[in-house]
Amino acid sequence: METMVLQTEPDALMEAINYTWILVVTFLIFFMHAGFAMLEAGQVRSKNVANQLTKNLLTWSVGVTVFFLIGIGIESAVAGAGFEPAFTGNGTGWIDWLYGAVFAMTAATIVSGAVAGRAKLRAYVTYTFLLAAVIYPVVTGITWAGGYIETLTGTPFSDFAGGMIVHGMGGIAGLTAAWILGPRMDRYNSDGTANVIPGHSLTFAVLGTLILAFGWYGFNVGTSAIFSEEGAFLSEQLGRVAMTTTIAMACGAMGAGLVAWLKTGKVDTLYVANGLLAGLVGITAIPDASTWWGAFLVGGLAGAQLPLVFGFVEDYLKIDDVCAVFPVHGSAGVLGTLLFPLVATSGYMADLGATRTEAFIAQFAGVAIIAVWTIAATAVIWFVFKAAGQARVTPEHERDGLDVSEHGVDTYPEFGQPDVATDGSGTVSDVRTDGGSPARAGDAEPEIRTDGGKPNGGEIKMVTAIIRPDRLGEVKQALAEAGAPSLTVTNVSGRGSQPAKKGQWRGEEYTVDLHQKVKIECVVADIPAADVVDAISEGAHTGEPGDGKIFVTPVESAYQIRTGKTGSDAV
């Protein structure tokens, strides 16, 4: 039996391996959107989380389709090759388009963090459309695709993986949009001093940071790991990019933490996380060219400038950059790009065929051109939105939160809501908050609990308690043992004998004088109110200020909606 041997030309094999690797890298960069979603969601108020997540989802969905239909064609036209959209291409051409698209969408999603908490969804989506269609393609058309800066200065503009073209551009766009929108309500006092508005979850912010750092290896190392014409991996460049990316990342976190400590006496967690990303942004333009010590320098400086630039933007420019996108992406991207001539290896400069001074001129020209174009285009678009009254939500919607006003959802609904039965009946199951067992689907009758208390003469009383959230479980158990028949629990915040404390968000202190509490309401008729008070007191007691208070008030009457019963029968 003859064995058929499949022979492949070396060039075809090399192309197949290269494009397979490009797809793997593309998927890795796409996963960075999960990081952006978590990072931004963690830095906004809980009432705006769903809005931020929706913006991230629509950034990809709207942006990638627009980049396919229009963006690539604009880039091609700006580069001088005529308007050639992606839908006129073929298989490998579409892989190239997708690889470019994940870079474009990274630039687009950066903007959402700067305008969080007050931008209308329709305005943001429209801006994303225009960024993917025109703003970003023009930037890539004059740099990666067109090489116009080399024509202008005589020296190529060096940006290996988008430190300025992607991140610097996105950070500058975000700052511009945030400036035109204006700050969030209550962000600044009448005298111009800033109020701290902390985000709702450091956990999400740090998780998003680490996801982004993981995907960044696709950004930098993935860009390098291709086959050369000789069919071998570019091992020298590949190793250098992997090393400089990792070192700059680490030094960015340390640099930001150090400066935060020098400013406030504390190592701020969010600054460390943001500094790690700033270090990555700083090295992204030059990981293939930098010396080992250059990675330390660029990463450290990119992290160190973060608290300083954020403070400048907040206190002097009075721009409310919610997720610090400018110091993380904008100024860090500019810094790393401009430091290229200082940290580039001698061998790289020899291959470039330019002096370090000539290289700096080219880098400065590239940064300036990208910044001017991005600021101008972004400003025009958001000024038009603002003039038309479509840039910002109403004060009422901003106060209520964009989750409800823009999407009709509550990311963190109050606990204790009834669960809908999953047996297809459409009925609501009996959810007990006092420790009892709910009725199970298929049971003939729901569980009926006797109160076991002494008669109260038919008098109805409301027992209301404000307690620590962490004592809710013990209170529920104590009430169940006392035979309390009903229970309502609400998340509240308040202030009493418990002293105020200091909190810190991105290196700035703020006073926490309203403490998180839960309010328990229990209506009783056939059980003595004193028994309920004793049960709550037993479960809530810690002996520390802030244990809470219990109030007992008479209830004139009660009415049960389902049966029409009144008085103690309703209770």
Side-chain angles (χ1 to χ4, degrees):
M1 181 176 180
E2 243 180 74
T3 302
M4 182 187 284
V5 179
L6 196 63
Q7 293 185 340
T8 306
E9 292 292 330
D11 289 346
L13 179 61
M14 187 194 314
E15 183 180 50
I17 294 174
N18 272 338
Y19 273 109
T20 301
W21 175 250
I22 289 172
L23 284 175
V24 171
V25 170
T26 297
F27 304 150
L28 195 62
I29 299 173
F30 166 74
F31 189 60
M32 291 175 71
H33 282 274
F36 277 114
M38 291 297 96
L39 177 65
E40 294 171 12
Q43 294 181 85
V44 301
R45 304 290 297 276
S46 59
K47 63 184 180 180
N48 296 320
V49 172
N51 178 257
Q52 208 59 29
L53 297 176
T54 304
K55 285 176 179 175
N56 275 273
L57 292 168
L58 289 177
T59 296
W60 171 261
S61 303
V62 172
V64 77
T65 50
V66 171
F67 194 67
F68 180 83
L69 296 172
I70 304 173
I72 280 290
I74 295 293
E75 177 188 289
S76 175
V78 171
F83 184 80
E84 295 183 9
F87 57 77
T88 62
N90 54 26
T92 56
W94 290 332
I95 294 175
D96 293 333
W97 155 76
L98 181 56
Y99 183 58
V102 292
F103 281 79
M105 295 309 100
T106 299
T109 200
I110 290 170
V111 180
S112 67
V115 300
R118 73 270 201 206
K120 280 189 176 182
L121 182 65
R122 70 192 71 169
Y124 173 76
V125 170
T126 303
Y127 177 75
T128 298
F129 182 104
L130 294 172
L131 185 144
V134 180
I135 300 175
Y136 177 80
V138 167
V139 172
T140 54
I142 62 178
T143 52
W144 283 334
Y148 289 116
I149 295 172
E150 182 178 4
T151 303
L152 178 66
T153 65
T155 304
F157 174 67
S158 296
D159 189 341
F160 182 72
M164 183 63 203
I165 293 171
V166 177
H167 294 277
M169 176 261 175
I172 291 170
L175 185 72
T176 305
W179 166 57
I180 296 169
L181 267 179
R184 289 167 291 173
M185 297 173 66
D186 304 324
R187 184 67 170 93
Y188 292 96
N189 298 312
S190 57
D191 61 358
T193 57
N195 291 316
V196 178
I197 304 179
H200 89 289
S201 176
L202 270 177
T203 304
F204 280 3
V206 173
L207 174 62
T209 297
L210 295 175
I211 292 173
L212 281 169
F214 173 69
W216 224 290
Y217 283 111
F219 237 90
N220 291 2
V221 182
T223 300
S224 177
I226 56 175
F227 273 71
S228 68
E229 293 180 358
E230 290 76 26
F233 274 106
L234 299 175
S235 57
E236 168 63 27
Q237 176 181 287
L238 180 63
R240 182 176 299 277
V241 171
M243 178 272 293
T244 54
T245 298
T246 304
I247 294 298
M249 177 202 310
C251 290
M254 292 188 290
L258 176 62
V259 172
W261 175 64
L262 293 174
K263 285 183 64 179
T264 68
K266 299 185 185 299
V267 180
D268 185 79
T269 304
L270 190 57
Y271 268 143
V272 172
N274 287 165
L276 184 145
L277 297 178
L280 284 166
V281 171
I283 202 65
T284 293
I286 56 174
D288 61 325
S290 176
T291 59
W292 67 265
W293 56 264
F296 278 85
L297 179 65
V298 171
L301 289 178
Q305 60 84 40
L306 173 66
L308 304 177
V309 172
F310 182 81
F312 177 78
V313 169
E314 176 187 56
D315 296 327
Y316 294 95
L317 298 183
K318 308 296 182 186
I319 298 176
D320 186 11
D321 183 356
V322 180
C323 296
V325 302
F326 180 73
V328 172
H329 300 275
S331 54
V334 170
L335 176 69
T337 305
L338 294 180
L339 284 176
F340 161 70
L342 176 64
V343 302
T345 65
S346 299
Y348 191 95
M349 294 304 301
D351 293 339
L352 189 66
T355 66
R356 296 184 187 271
T357 301
E358 291 170 339
F360 178 79
I361 292 172
Q363 297 299 95
F364 183 83
V367 167
I369 291 170
I370 293 170
V372 169
W373 162 249
T374 302
I375 292 170
T378 301
V380 167
I381 294 167
W382 282 97
F383 270 128
V384 170
F385 290 157
K386 191 172 184 178
Q390 296 300 312
R392 186 167 179 151
V393 299
T394 64
E396 294 77 17
H397 286 174
E398 185 175 344
R399 186 74 71 188
D400 292 340
L402 274 61
D403 290 1
V404 174
S405 62
E406 294 275 83
H407 310 284
V409 301
D410 189 349
T411 307
Y412 297 104
E414 288 184 349
F415 59 89
Q417 295 292 330
D419 294 331
V420 178
T422 57
D423 60 356
S425 65
T427 60
V428 177
S429 63
D430 178 21
V431 178
R432 296 188 177 273
T433 57
D434 60 357
S437 303
R440 295 181 299 274
D443 286 351
E445 296 289 342
E447 179 189 0
I448 299 176
R449 299 177 65 254
T450 60
D451 54 54
K454 298 178 180 179
N456 202 28
E459 184 180 5
I460 306 172
K461 291 188 177 181
M462 169 77 80
V463 180
T464 303
I466 310 295
I467 67 168
R468 299 175 184 270
D470 58 291
R471 303 301 296 176
L472 179 59
E474 288 77 3
V475 170
K476 287 167 57 179
Q477 182 62 35
L479 286 172
E481 294 172 358
S486 65
L487 186 67
T488 300
V489 180
T490 311
N491 279 316
V492 296
S493 59
R495 150 174 83 190
S497 61
Q498 186 176 359
K501 61 181 181 179
K502 294 292 184 180
Q504 183 168 298
W505 181 257
R506 199 178 271 118
E508 297 183 69
E509 282 193 347
Y510 62 97
T511 301
V512 182
D513 60 351
L514 292 179
H515 304 279
Q516 185 181 1
K517 302 289 183 181
V518 291
K519 180 170 72 172
I520 296 174
E521 296 172 306
C522 186
V523 182
V524 296
D526 294 332
I527 178 173
D531 290 358
V532 176
V533 171
D534 290 343
I536 295 175
S537 180
E538 176 188 346
H541 180 76
T542 68
E544 299 292 332
D547 278 353
K549 292 180 175 65
I550 304 173
F551 307 94
V552 181
T553 55
V555 177
E556 183 176 338
S557 186
Y559 184 88
Q560 189 177 53
I561 296 174
R562 179 176 63 85
T563 64
K565 293 180 179 179
T566 60
S568 60
D569 291 338
V571 178

